Amino acid sequence: RVGEQIRRDVAMLIRDRVKDPRVGMITVLDVEVSKDFAHAKIWFDALQADQGLEAQEALNHAAGFLRREL
C-alpha cells in the first residue's frame, strides 16, 4: 500500500513539478519500499527508447527535490 501511494505521488510530482526537459514522457512502473520505509527503489519506463538514459540522469539529479516533496 505504501509503495502504491509513493508511485502515485512520484508520478504526479514528476509530471507537474520536475521542469527538466530530459525527463520527457515517462511512466512510473513500480516502487519497492524497504521494510523500515527508509528507502524506495522506483522503476520507470520512457516513452521513447532513446530517452531512457537521459531521463534516468535527470531523475537522479532531481532525487533530492522528489525526496523532500514526498
Side-chain angles (χ1 to χ4, degrees):
R1 297 175 89 190
V2 173
E4 281 298 310
Q5 184 63 44
I6 291 173
R7 186 185 63 79
R8 285 189 297 268
D9 291 345
V10 166
M12 183 198 63
L13 285 170
I14 291 170
R15 184 188 69 219
D16 297 339
R17 307 279 306 274
V18 174
K19 302 298 183 196
D20 195 325
R22 296 178 295 170
V23 173
M25 297 286 290
I26 67 163
T27 301
V28 179
L29 299 174
D30 194 23
V31 175
E32 181 181 296
V33 182
S34 65
K35 291 182 181 183
D36 63 354
F37 301 117
H39 301 283
K41 290 184 182 181
I42 299 174
W43 283 270
F44 71 92
D45 190 20
L47 184 63
Q48 296 176 350
D50 60 338
Q51 288 182 334
L53 292 176
E54 290 179 358
Q56 181 179 352
E57 290 173 5
L59 290 173
N60 284 336
H61 183 72
F65 167 76
L66 293 170
R67 235 182 258 119
R68 185 175 60 247
E69 292 296 312
L70 276 175

